[in-house]
């Protein structure tokens, strides 16, 4: 009875937070120029002007075409603009919906855990200001997360599509990359974890063939975009080399507003190690656990 009451309480808190997010979408948590920038490109794409942005002086880009982030976010964000006029609510609801979808994917990947554990994890995710602000603003982060996690979910959970699964998973990873290449700094470790997982679960030949299919279905869409937008891989590399100093580098400590979340996670890890040692060790058999650990390390060491 007590456990049921706790579950109802946690569900109630989550529903309140989601409802609050929906009704407060017109209020931006951050005065962020990126939101206006992205909305402008999506709006222009809906109007047939490719990836043009019109909210900044033309000296920033003479042809006003922006290719840095990839095309996928702007194509998806343009769909509502075909039916409605631009608004803060419209551009932000996309981020919120993909944020909710990402949480659902994480919950599904934790297949061996109780509803209570999954709900507590959801509350922990919602306590992360970076996640909630991006879910509440017109940026592309939650969409990229959703595509990468969707690919992981299909790879580990879709048991009835073994022949087509590697192609679909690689394609979903490519879509995540083509939403923002910066997502690869966190999710690129998939390229290491999945082949290792395949080697453990099958033989060398099978692991190699499946990994090759994944890599092929990832590389082809990305290569098509690079050649179309930049002309060559060399120009693509030069473009990001010019931007890199402002986006990556250094290993700063976690921001102060993430300390409570980190404290809670460390406390739960300590509790698991002491009180639930057997389950704690078994949890590393779920692919999402080592993947998450490596992703967190990648974030703090690569993202400035």
């Amino acid at each position: 009875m007590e456990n049921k009451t706790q579950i109802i309480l946690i569900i109630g808190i989550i529903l309140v937070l989601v409802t609050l997010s929906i009704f407060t979408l017109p209020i931006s948590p951050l005065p962020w120029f990126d939101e206006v920038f992205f909305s402008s490109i999506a709006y222009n794409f809906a109007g047939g002007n490719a990836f043009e942005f019109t909210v900044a002086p033309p000296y920033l880009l003479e042809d006003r075409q922006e290719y840095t982030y990839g095309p996928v976010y702007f194509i998806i964000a343009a769909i509502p603009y075909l039916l409605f006029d631009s608004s803060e609510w419209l551009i932000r609801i996309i981020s919120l919906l993909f944020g909710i979808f990402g949480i659902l994917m994480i919950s599904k990947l934790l297949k061996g855990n109780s509803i209570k554990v999954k709900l507590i994890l959801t509350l922990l995710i919602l306590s992360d200001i970076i996640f909630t602000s991006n879910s509440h603003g017109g940026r592309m982060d939650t969409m990229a997360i959703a595509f990468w996690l969707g690919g992981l979910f299909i790879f580990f959970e879709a048991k009835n599509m073994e022949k087509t699964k590697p192609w679909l998973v690689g394609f979903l990873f490519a879509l995540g990359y083509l939403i923002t290449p910066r997502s690869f700094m966190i999710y690129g470790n998939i390229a290491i974890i999945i082949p290792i997982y395949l080697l453990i679960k099958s033989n060398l030949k099978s692991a190699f063939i499946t990994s090759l299919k994944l890599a092929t279905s990832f590389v082809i869409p990305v290569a098509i975009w690079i050649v179309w937008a930049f002309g060559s891989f060399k120009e693509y590399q030069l473009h990001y080399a010019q931007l890199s100093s402002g986006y990556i580098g250094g290993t700063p400590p976690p921001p102060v507003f993430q300390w409570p979340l980190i404290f809670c996670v460390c406390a739960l890890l300590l509790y698991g190690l002491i009180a639930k040692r057997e389950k704690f060790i078994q949890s590393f058999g779920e692919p999402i656990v080592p993947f998450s650990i490596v992703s967190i390390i990648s974030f703090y060491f690569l993202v400035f």
Side-chain angles (χ1 to χ4, degrees):
M1 187 67 181
E2 182 182 352
N3 191 48
K4 185 177 179 181
T5 303
Q6 291 173 344
I7 291 174
I8 293 173
L9 178 62
I10 295 171
I11 291 175
I13 293 172
I14 293 172
L15 288 175
V16 169
L17 290 173
V18 172
T19 304
L20 185 65
S21 291
I22 293 173
F23 282 97
T24 58
L25 279 178
I27 305 170
S28 176
L30 294 169
W32 208 305
F33 175 75
D34 280 0
E35 182 179 61
V36 181
F37 180 80
F38 297 152
S39 179
S40 172
I41 297 173
Y43 187 79
N44 285 319
F45 187 86
N49 297 317
F51 303 99
E52 180 181 9
F53 77 101
T54 51
V55 293
Y59 67 80
L60 293 177
L61 287 172
E62 291 184 4
D63 62 357
R64 290 188 176 276
Q65 295 293 319
E66 176 57 71
Y67 303 131
T68 298
Y69 296 94
V72 175
Y73 173 82
F74 303 114
I75 293 172
I76 295 175
I79 295 173
Y81 286 156
L82 295 173
L83 304 173
F84 308 100
D85 197 7
S86 60
S87 70
E88 298 93 337
W89 195 90
L90 198 62
I91 195 68
R92 292 171 188 162
I93 192 65
I94 297 171
S95 300
L96 181 61
L97 291 175
F98 275 101
I100 294 172
F101 179 79
I103 293 177
L104 289 175
M105 286 296 97
I106 293 173
S107 179
K108 290 289 185 181
L109 285 165
L110 290 170
K111 55 185 178 180
N113 290 277
S114 65
I115 295 175
K116 182 179 177 181
V117 170
K118 293 180 179 182
L119 289 172
I120 291 173
L121 177 64
T122 300
L123 285 177
L124 284 172
I125 295 172
L126 293 176
S127 73
D128 180 14
I129 294 178
I130 293 178
F131 181 84
T132 52
S133 64
N134 282 326
S135 297
H136 203 283
R139 285 174 54 83
M140 54 190 58
D141 307 70
T142 55
M143 187 185 292
I145 290 171
F147 274 97
W148 285 100
L149 290 176
L152 278 177
F153 174 76
I154 291 174
F155 182 79
F156 291 119
E157 301 300 326
K159 306 298 183 184
N160 58 345
M161 47 186 298
E162 294 300 325
K163 292 184 178 180
T164 58
K165 182 166 64 173
W167 302 104
L168 177 58
V169 171
F171 182 67
L172 287 173
F173 289 165
L175 293 181
Y177 180 85
L178 292 174
I179 291 171
T180 169
R182 283 187 288 182
S183 64
F184 194 77
M185 290 192 289
I186 301 172
Y187 293 100
N189 51 66
I190 292 173
I192 299 174
I193 292 178
I194 284 184
I196 293 174
Y197 175 83
L198 290 170
L199 278 172
I200 294 173
K201 294 291 183 179
S202 60
N203 56 61
L204 179 61
K205 180 181 178 181
S206 177
F208 175 77
I209 292 173
T210 303
S211 298
L212 185 62
K213 291 177 181 177
L214 280 162
T216 302
S217 59
F218 175 86
V219 168
I220 289 176
V222 173
I224 290 172
W225 165 253
I226 290 173
V227 173
W228 181 85
F230 297 91
S232 69
F233 286 90
K234 182 179 179 181
E235 289 299 319
Y236 181 73
Q237 188 274 330
L238 289 173
H239 177 80
Y240 288 99
Q242 294 172 356
L243 297 173
S244 62
S245 61
Y247 287 88
I248 59 174
T251 54
V256 65
F257 51 77
Q258 281 197 322
W259 290 357
L261 174 63
I262 293 170
F263 174 80
C264 289
V265 171
C266 290
L268 287 171
L269 284 172
L270 187 62
Y271 170 76
L273 187 60
I274 297 173
K276 304 282 186 179
R277 183 172 299 179
E278 186 176 344
K279 285 187 176 182
F280 180 81
I281 295 172
Q282 289 176 352
S283 70
F284 283 82
E286 295 187 27
I288 191 63
V289 175
F291 166 75
S292 298
I293 292 171
V294 176
S295 296
I296 292 168
I297 294 171
S298 300
F299 179 83
Y300 286 119
F301 274 86
L302 292 176
V303 179
F304 185 72

